[in-house]
């Protein structure tokens, strides 16, 4: 036992690159595992939020383009959410079933708006959310680790990119109209 205690600095030096890699996230396996385990959960929460906000927009939007976009969101994200849920179940991954408190508050705040203010806030949120979702899915399509998760990310990404382009177009139109 005393032999080990004599050389703690040597042992620490020998393992420091491994420990440092784990702390900074440069260890490829660790980074892949993080991405793989976080991607389904992040995608699920984003999808749930899109559907929740879009259902409100289907009811409340006054601009026909916003209402149409919201209907597309409910349909497309509902389908993607179902596919992700099935894939996660197959892989024994527990997905969140509710939004986080901060997300619920953001939804409630948006749902309290009316008319053109609602339309503008909804489209602004759709642009923000889709930019984040596109980045998440781009990353997962190359580094999710699990081939089926990579496939899901790759298959879903073009739809998200289409949503982003449409959301930016509608947001721009709403700004020009005011």
């Amino acid at each position: 036992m005393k032999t080990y205690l004599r050389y703690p600095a040597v042992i620490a030096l020998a393992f420091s690159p491994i420990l440092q890699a784990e702390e900074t996230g440069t260890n490829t396996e660790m980074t892949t595992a993080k991405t793989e385990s976080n991607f389904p959960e992040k995608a699920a929460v984003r999808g749930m939020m899109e559907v929740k906000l879009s259902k409100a927009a289907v009811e409340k939007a006054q601009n026909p383009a916003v209402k149409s976009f919201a209907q597309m969101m409910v349909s497309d994200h509902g389908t993607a959410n179902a596919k992700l849920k099935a894939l996660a179940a197959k892989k024994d991954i527990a997905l969140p079933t509710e939004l986080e408190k901060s997300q619920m508050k953001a939804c409630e705040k948006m749902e309290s708006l009316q008319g053109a203010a609602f339309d503008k806030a909804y489209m602004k949120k759709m642009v923000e959310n889709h930019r984040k979702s596109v980045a998440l899915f781009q990353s997962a399509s190359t580094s999710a680790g699990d081939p089926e998760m990579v496939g899901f990310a790759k298959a879903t990404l073009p739809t998200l990119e289409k949503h982003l382009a449409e959301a930016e177009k509608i947001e721009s139109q709403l700004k020009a109209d005011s």
Side-chain angles (χ1 to χ4, degrees):
M1 179 124 347
K2 287 185 180 182
T3 308
Y4 294 111
L5 296 176
R6 271 197 241 165
Y7 305 105
V10 174
I11 293 169
L13 282 174
F15 286 104
S16 75
I18 295 167
L19 296 173
Q20 187 177 15
E22 287 179 1
E23 287 175 8
T24 61
T26 57
N27 181 311
T28 307
E29 286 180 23
M30 188 172 188
T31 303
T32 301
K34 258 188 186 177
T35 303
E36 186 177 334
S37 66
N38 288 340
F39 169 70
E41 290 86 353
K42 286 180 181 179
V45 169
R46 290 199 161 286
M48 285 189 299
M49 188 165 186
E50 297 287 342
V51 170
K52 180 167 179 48
L53 289 173
S54 296
K55 282 182 177 179
V58 166
E59 298 289 322
K60 299 181 76 158
Q62 76 176 25
N63 184 296
V66 173
K67 190 176 281 282
S68 176
F69 179 83
Q71 288 169 334
M72 180 175 65
M73 293 298 95
V74 171
S75 175
D76 290 355
H77 283 279
T79 299
N81 292 352
K83 287 178 183 177
L84 178 59
K85 188 175 181 179
L87 181 57
K90 178 180 168 184
K91 305 224 170 260
D92 276 341
I93 298 172
L95 295 178
T97 57
E98 294 180 359
L99 296 175
E100 296 172 4
K101 287 182 184 180
S102 63
Q103 294 166 321
M104 287 298 290
K105 284 183 182 181
C107 288
E108 289 169 8
K109 182 179 177 184
M110 180 157 313
E111 289 170 354
S112 72
L113 299 173
Q114 300 293 324
F118 174 86
D119 289 358
K120 287 177 185 176
Y122 170 73
M123 292 314 302
K124 180 180 180 184
K125 191 68 164 170
M126 289 299 101
V127 169
E128 290 171 5
N129 284 359
H130 279 86
R131 284 182 180 153
K132 291 176 183 176
S133 292
V134 165
L136 174 68
F137 277 71
Q138 283 174 334
S139 175
S141 69
T142 59
S143 64
D146 180 276
E148 288 179 286
M149 284 296 172
V150 168
F152 172 76
K154 283 182 179 180
T156 308
L157 185 56
T159 302
L160 294 173
E161 291 169 333
K162 179 181 122 191
H163 292 169
L164 175 58
E166 186 66 17
E168 289 172 335
K169 179 178 140 192
I170 295 169
E171 182 187 36
S172 176
Q173 288 171 346
L174 291 176
K175 285 179 181 177
D177 291 345
S178 50

